[in-house]
Amino acid sequence: MSAESLDLVYPFTGRWLVQNSPADQVPSHGTTRFATSYAIDFVPVDHSGRSAAFGITSLFRPEPPEQFIGFGRSVLAPIDGTVVAIHDAATDHPAYRGLPSLGYAMTQRSRVEAGWLALAGNHVMIRTGAIVVALCHLQQGSVQVQVGQTVQTGERLGRCGNSGNSTEPHLHVQAISSLDLACADAVPIRFGGTLPPTGAIVDL
């Protein structure tokens, strides 16, 4: 990671699976749009590494997000700072695995065209110095902070949900150079001085 990387604390406790890590490729999510080049995803999992039981219905039908063990798990502030933006009204939609995930992927373009809010869903954005950290896909109605509020590392911001561009309950974290997503640059991040690769388990 470069000298300009922002060092964060993991914004959760428990077991989480790393997905789409910039430790493996940049841009981590396959695009540079919305300053997501160094974004990373964390999926809550059990001791078997599963986010939810997978049955025959998972192959063919969308599933309620409440079936996933991480739905409602606490999301914490990864750094000291000031809350500069929140959104808390987006609906938690069904989760999509198996064949339903293919249909959901086909609607990706419409969400991208709809803009940042359609992708991020419910979120909290924290400014620390000149950098803004975004935590996305939170559960509807769970945000516990307000714009202008000062937060400390480890303070609860909300709960893990399935809002925005999300196939199952998870947490998306990214850092950007400006609150204006149209012109912001992506900022590299790390956690405790390291960056976990895709497939790693973070257990806190």
Side-chain angles (χ1 to χ4, degrees):
M1 302 295 288
S2 71
E4 292 77 25
S5 298
L6 179 67
D7 200 21
L8 305 173
V9 171
Y10 285 110
F12 48 71
T13 59
R15 285 175 67 86
W16 298 64
L17 171 67
V18 179
Q19 291 189 338
N20 301 314
S21 174
D24 301 295
Q25 66 173 14
V26 176
S28 58
H29 285 59
T31 179
T32 59
R33 294 194 66 178
F34 304 106
T36 57
S37 291
Y38 302 106
I40 190 168
D41 294 329
F42 298 99
V43 181
V45 295
D46 62 19
H47 288 284
S48 299
R50 298 186 305 177
S51 57
F54 191 89
I56 189 67
T57 57
S58 305
L59 289 172
F60 301 106
R61 298 178 184 172
E63 301 167 283
E66 293 83 2
Q67 288 186 190
F68 291 73
I69 65 166
F71 187 74
R73 190 177 287 185
S74 292
V75 173
L76 313 176
I79 200 164
D80 296 348
T82 302
V83 178
V84 291
I86 63 170
H87 188 68
D88 197 33
T91 301
D92 291 287
H93 55 74
Y96 302 98
R97 299 188 290 177
L99 291 176
S101 68
L102 300 179
Y104 188 73
M106 293 178 66
T107 63
Q108 174 74 0
R109 177 174 293 183
S110 65
R111 287 187 293 279
V112 172
E113 291 175 350
W116 163 255
L117 192 57
L119 295 173
N122 300 316
H123 61 274
V124 174
M125 302 178 81
I126 300 170
R127 184 183 299 280
T128 177
I131 300 174
V132 175
V133 179
L135 301 101
C136 306
H137 310 312
L138 304 181
Q139 183 181 358
Q140 183 181 31
S142 73
V143 174
Q144 297 184 333
V145 294
Q146 299 179 342
V147 172
Q149 180 177 337
T150 299
V151 294
Q152 303 296 316
T153 301
E155 185 173 342
R156 189 159 76 179
L157 304 175
R159 297 185 180 277
C160 179
N162 200 47
S163 59
N165 187 44
S166 177
T167 55
E168 64 177 303
H170 76 286
L171 177 64
H172 170 104
V173 182
Q174 69 181 89
I176 55 180
S177 64
S178 167
L179 193 57
D180 184 356
L181 271 295
C183 61
D185 293 321
V187 176
I189 57 176
R190 55 189 176 182
F191 297 88
T194 63
L195 190 60
T198 297
I201 296 289
V202 178
D203 195 351
L204 301 173

CSV table of all heavy atoms in Angstrom, one decimal, residues 1-6 188 190:
chain,number,residue,atom,x,y,z
A,1,MET,N,0.8,-1.2,0.0
A,1,MET,CA,0.0,0.0,0.0
A,1,MET,C,0.9,1.2,0.0
A,1,MET,O,2.0,1.3,0.5
A,1,MET,CB,-0.9,0.0,1.2
A,1,MET,CG,-1.8,-1.2,1.3
A,1,MET,SD,-3.0,-1.3,0.0
A,1,MET,CE,-4.1,0.0,0.5
A,2,SER,N,0.4,2.3,-0.6
A,2,SER,CA,1.1,3.5,-0.7
A,2,SER,C,1.2,4.3,0.6
A,2,SER,O,0.4,4.0,1.5
A,2,SER,CB,0.5,4.4,-1.8
A,2,SER,OG,-0.7,5.0,-1.3
A,3,ALA,N,2.1,5.3,0.7
A,3,ALA,CA,2.2,6.1,1.9
A,3,ALA,C,0.9,6.9,2.2
A,3,ALA,O,0.6,7.3,3.3
A,3,ALA,CB,3.4,7.1,1.8
A,4,GLU,N,0.1,7.1,1.1
A,4,GLU,CA,-1.1,7.9,1.3
A,4,GLU,C,-2.3,7.0,1.8
A,4,GLU,O,-3.4,7.5,1.8
A,4,GLU,CB,-1.5,8.5,0.0
A,4,GLU,CG,-0.5,9.6,-0.5
A,4,GLU,CD,0.7,9.1,-1.1
A,4,GLU,OE1,0.7,7.9,-1.6
A,4,GLU,OE2,1.8,9.8,-1.0
A,5,SER,N,-2.1,5.7,2.0
A,5,SER,CA,-3.2,4.9,2.4
A,5,SER,C,-3.7,5.3,3.8
A,5,SER,O,-3.0,5.8,4.7
A,5,SER,CB,-2.7,3.4,2.6
A,5,SER,OG,-2.2,2.9,1.3
A,6,LEU,N,-5.0,5.1,3.9
A,6,LEU,CA,-5.7,5.5,5.2
A,6,LEU,C,-5.8,4.2,6.0
A,6,LEU,O,-6.4,3.2,5.6
A,6,LEU,CB,-7.1,6.1,4.9
A,6,LEU,CG,-7.9,6.4,6.1
A,6,LEU,CD1,-7.3,7.6,6.9
A,6,LEU,CD2,-9.3,6.8,5.7
A,188,PRO,N,-6.6,4.6,-1.1
A,188,PRO,CA,-6.3,3.2,-0.6
A,188,PRO,C,-6.5,3.1,0.9
A,188,PRO,O,-6.3,4.1,1.6
A,188,PRO,CB,-4.8,3.0,-1.0
A,188,PRO,CG,-4.5,4.0,-2.1
A,188,PRO,CD,-5.4,5.2,-1.8
A,190,ARG,N,-6.3,0.4,4.5
A,190,ARG,CA,-5.8,-0.8,5.1
A,190,ARG,C,-6.4,-0.9,6.5
A,190,ARG,O,-7.1,0.0,7.0
A,190,ARG,CB,-4.3,-0.8,5.2
A,190,ARG,CG,-3.7,0.5,5.9
A,190,ARG,CD,-2.2,0.6,5.7
A,190,ARG,NE,-1.7,1.8,6.3
A,190,ARG,CZ,-0.5,2.2,6.3
A,190,ARG,NH1,0.5,1.5,5.7
A,190,ARG,NH2,-0.1,3.4,6.8
